[in-house]
């Protein structure tokens, strides 16, 4: 997969969203002071991460653990988005290594990019990328806010499924099964798409309607 082809798809998605996209279409960045290394979120004593959790919780007038889940729903989505689109495009996925990835707050919630990108062509390599780049964040968020890791990984699983239905059609259930843990088994196929088996906790906000893919619609939520 030439990254230029993926960039073209991401540019079209950004244009359709009024320029609001949580990943740079070219994936790569030469970071200035407005960008922060992703690794800073897991640096003890987790000052930066705790601040973002509190900020998210405050934005929605939510408890801390709900703020943490919603923070990850956004950050995890944009970290996963280019892998999902790339896989749907031609069965290969761009990987931004943890140590190479940067983020900044934006209209999309956060925007991510990396100083280097590699392309992988197997579900096993995608699993390794998730464990290397997302598992440290999941562990830190779970530990800082007492929200279940399974709940957070459910958002990553949906971050594969949603682009592979809304952007480019792809066999997201087959990919999740092939990737295996920690994302396999967190979605179920339905007649009109998929449903989560964990809740992102959006529905716990005052007067919030459940997401169309929420497990509470079938009373099948699991922690």
């Amino acid at each position: 997969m030439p990254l230029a082809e993926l960039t073209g798809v991401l540019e079209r998605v950004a244009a359709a969203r009024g320029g609001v996209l949580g990943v740079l279409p070219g994936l790569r960045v030469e970071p200035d002071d407005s960008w922060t290394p992703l690794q800073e979120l897991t640096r003890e004593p987790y000052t930066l991460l705790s601040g973002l959790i509190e900020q998210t919780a405050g934005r929605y007038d939510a408890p801390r653990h709900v703020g943490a889940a919603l923070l990850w729903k956004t950050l995890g989505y944009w970290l996963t988005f280019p892998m999902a689109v790339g896989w749907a495009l031609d069965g290969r996925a761009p990987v931004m290594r943890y140590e190479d990835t940067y983020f900044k707050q934006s209209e999309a919630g956060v925007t991510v990019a990396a100083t280097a990108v590699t392309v992988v062509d197997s579900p096993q390599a995608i699993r390794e990328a998730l464990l290397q780049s997302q598992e440290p964040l999941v562990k830190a968020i779970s530990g800082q806010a007492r929200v279940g890791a399974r709940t957070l990984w459910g958002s990553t699983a949906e971050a594969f499924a949603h682009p592979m239905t809304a952007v480019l059609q792809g066999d997201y259930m087959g990919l999740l099964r092939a990737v295996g843990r920690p994302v396999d088994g967190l979605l179920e196929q339905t007649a009109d798409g998929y449903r989560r088996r964990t809740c992102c906790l959006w529905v716990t906000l005052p007067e919030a309607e459940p997401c169309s893919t929420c497990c509470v619609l079938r009373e099948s939520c699991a922690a």
Side-chain angles (χ1 to χ4, degrees), residues 42 46 98 130-141 153:
T42 55
Y46 304 105
Y98 190 47
L130 292 178
L131 295 178
Q132 192 267 344
S133 64
Q134 293 194 22
E135 188 172 49
L137 293 162
V138 167
K139 286 182 175 179
I141 292 171
W153 283 120

Side-chain angles (χ1 to χ4, degrees), residues 160-180:
F160 280 104
H162 183 263
M164 295 174 78
T165 56
V167 178
L168 290 175
Q169 295 297 309
D171 181 11
Y172 51 87
M173 292 299 289
L175 176 60
L176 293 173
R177 285 192 295 269
V179 170

Side-chain angles (χ1 to χ4, degrees), residues 71-132:
L71 171 64
W72 179 249
K73 185 175 183 178
T74 299
L75 178 58
Y77 183 83
W78 293 120
L79 288 171
T80 306
F81 187 86
M83 290 191 287
V85 175
W87 191 263
L89 189 62
D90 73 350
R92 289 180 286 178
V95 168
M96 299 183 289
R97 295 191 309 167
Y98 190 47
E99 58 268 30
D100 298 329
T101 305
Y102 287 71
F103 78 96
K104 64 179 177 180
Q105 293 179 276
S106 70
E107 290 184 80
V110 296
T111 295
V112 298
T115 54
V117 179
T118 56
V119 176
V120 301
D121 60 3
S122 72
Q124 293 73 27
I126 292 176
R127 179 178 184 273
E128 291 172 6
L130 292 178
L131 295 178
Q132 192 267 344

